[in-house]
Amino acid sequence: MKRHAHNWLGILEGSFLMALGILFLQSSQVAVGGITGVGLIGDRLLADLSFGQVFLVINLPFYLLAYYEKGWAFTLRTALAVTLIGVLTDLIGQYVVLDLGSAVLGALAAGALMAFGIVTLFQHNASTGGFTVLALYMERVWGVNRGWALLVIDAITIGIGLWLFGAELWFASLLVTVVMGLIIGRYRQQNTQPKLQNEAQSEKKAEKDTSGASDQASVIVQPAQS
């Protein structure tokens, strides 16, 4: 029970950090890649919809991919995280108004907050949804390198964002990407990225085989000791 409560609180914390980071992006109108960038673009183009509503809708198709790639547990927690991010961003935005005079300051704050939010979600077997799962699917089905796939998708998203928000903010947009990459990269070595469903099953099978072999060895050795 305590472990489950810890996991759900971790998802809430990660989603809250993501929501704060998105608010900094909105206030400074800095473009960013990934599914968050698409959500900000949709929020800018669709006047009748809020960021949270756009974010929830565009993530719907990726839940099926998440299920096939990483299983039900990861999909359920990711759906919860995406919902919390959308709701918290809209809710906090109604009561907190950020007026930043510097796009660079907004980029630094947004990059740090979102990076720590993503890391926290990864540590509790969840994610922000979107293109990461799509890249894993493309790599498995078509052999496309996941790193290059994400790079191309982010480049397209940032390019559209800069066209909408203003090309003079290119440095701040680059700064968000760099800050996020540096922070997430520090924690990647701690295996924060949840494993694929097939990898986890293979490891469990290997551990079971190893433990079974150890039990057989102990049975053989014990009569010799007596």
Side-chain angles (χ1 to χ4, degrees), residues 11 56 59 63 66 72-85 126-129:
I11 292 175
L56 290 174
N59 264 292
Y63 293 147
W72 268 118
F74 176 82
T75 304
L76 178 61
R77 297 184 185 197
T78 296
L80 175 61
V82 169
T83 303
L84 286 172
I85 292 170
S127 76
T128 58

Side-chain angles (χ1 to χ4, degrees), residues 154-210:
D154 285 347
I156 294 174
T157 306
I158 293 175
I160 297 174
L162 288 175
W163 176 65
L164 290 173
F165 301 147
E168 66 274 7
L169 297 177
W170 68 268
F171 178 73
S173 300
L174 177 62
L175 192 59
V176 173
T177 305
V178 171
V179 171
M180 291 182 63
L182 290 175
I183 295 176
I184 295 175
R186 287 174 52 199
Y187 290 89
R188 191 184 183 96
Q189 298 177 353
Q190 302 177 9
N191 296 322
T192 55
Q193 173 70 28
K195 298 174 182 176
L196 295 177
Q197 187 178 18
N198 294 335
E199 294 176 357
Q201 291 176 351
S202 299
E203 288 191 2
K204 288 181 180 179
K205 184 178 180 181
E207 291 176 358
K208 185 177 180 180
D209 293 341
T210 303

Side-chain angles (χ1 to χ4, degrees), residues 3 11 16 39 67 71 73 79 98 100 133 138 156 162 167 197 201:
R3 179 183 177 185
I11 292 175
F16 181 72
Y67 167 70
L98 296 175
L100 300 177
V133 178
M138 293 172 63
I156 294 174
L162 288 175
Q197 187 178 18
Q201 291 176 351

Side-chain angles (χ1 to χ4, degrees), residues 71-181:
W72 268 118
F74 176 82
T75 304
L76 178 61
R77 297 184 185 197
T78 296
L80 175 61
V82 169
T83 303
L84 286 172
I85 292 170
V87 171
L88 288 173
T89 302
D90 289 349
L91 185 62
I92 298 174
Q94 293 179 0
Y95 298 98
V96 177
V97 178
L98 296 175
D99 186 12
L100 300 177
S102 171
V104 173
L105 179 60
L108 288 172
L113 287 167
M114 292 173 62
F116 283 118
I118 291 172
V119 168
T120 303
L121 291 174
F122 279 1
Q123 288 175 337
H124 294 86
N125 196 26
S127 76
T128 58
F131 298 127
T132 301
V133 178
L134 176 62
L136 292 173
Y137 175 81
M138 293 172 63
E139 184 178 56
R140 181 173 61 83
V141 176
W142 297 310
V144 178
N145 182 280
R146 72 180 75 173
W148 284 109
L150 287 173
L151 182 63
V152 171
I153 293 172
D154 285 347
I156 294 174
T157 306
I158 293 175
I160 297 174
L162 288 175
W163 176 65
L164 290 173
F165 301 147
E168 66 274 7
L169 297 177
W170 68 268
F171 178 73
S173 300
L174 177 62
L175 192 59
V176 173
T177 305
V178 171
V179 171
M180 291 182 63

